[in-house]
Amino acid sequence: MRNDTIEQHYQGPQGDTTYNESTYYTASHTAAYIPPVSTTAPRGVNPLILELVLSFLGIFGIGWLLARRPLPGILLLLGSIFLYWPIMILGTIFTFGIGLICLGPLAMAAILLNALLLSRVLRKRYYQRYPRFPM
């Protein structure tokens, strides 16, 4: 390859030097248009953060409702009220606190699984809305 620059070999416009719009914007230039890639975070991040924070408090499903997934959101919310909390409270009372050895990791697994599934749904929706183009 040569180390010459374009400026050294550029001779300038030949003939008519007036601006002609048709010479700059032809169909061949617009046919290969690739839309810009967004570098901002997807809008689905907020439901995931809210779901994680409330899951640590024992309230599941609010992030799913914000992500416009009402069926899993309502089922998780009802499950956290009628299943999760009674199991945690009664399991702690009846075992005099020893049950938390088993219930603690079970709760952490539930929080992790819930966050991973919600993240997967949000990522799938994001890439359906903003598809990736091959380079």
Side-chain angles (χ1 to χ4, degrees):
M1 294 191 66
R2 298 179 353 186
N3 291 333
D4 298 315
T5 62
I6 294 174
E7 289 84 14
Q8 291 174 345
H9 297 287
Y10 181 70
Q11 297 176 0
Q14 303 294 325
D16 187 20
T17 60
T18 59
Y19 176 76
N20 186 0
E21 187 173 334
S22 64
T23 60
Y24 293 104
Y25 299 102
T26 61
S28 64
H29 288 103
T30 58
Y33 173 74
I34 297 174
V37 177
S38 175
T39 59
T40 60
R43 297 188 75 185
V45 171
N46 292 333
L48 182 61
I49 293 172
L50 184 66
E51 184 69 27
L52 274 173
V53 169
L54 291 177
S55 292
F56 281 111
L57 299 175
I59 303 169
F60 296 93
I62 302 297
W64 289 85
L65 292 172
L66 283 178
R68 296 187 189 123
R69 300 290 295 221
L71 183 63
I74 291 171
L75 290 176
L76 283 168
L77 190 59
L78 292 175
S80 68
I81 294 170
F82 295 114
L83 290 174
Y84 180 79
W85 277 103
I87 289 172
M88 291 302 240
I89 292 171
L90 295 175
T92 305
I93 291 173
F94 287 140
T95 61
F96 302 109
I98 298 174
L100 288 177
I101 295 172
C102 294
L103 293 175
L106 184 65
M108 295 307 282
I111 292 169
L112 182 64
L113 181 65
N114 184 27
L116 288 175
L117 290 175
L118 181 58
S119 173
R120 181 176 167 212
V121 167
L122 292 173
R123 187 179 304 123
K124 186 176 180 181
R125 180 185 303 161
Y126 177 77
Y127 284 123
Q128 285 175 351
R129 187 175 297 160
Y130 305 108
R132 290 183 267 178
F133 292 99
M135 298 234 179

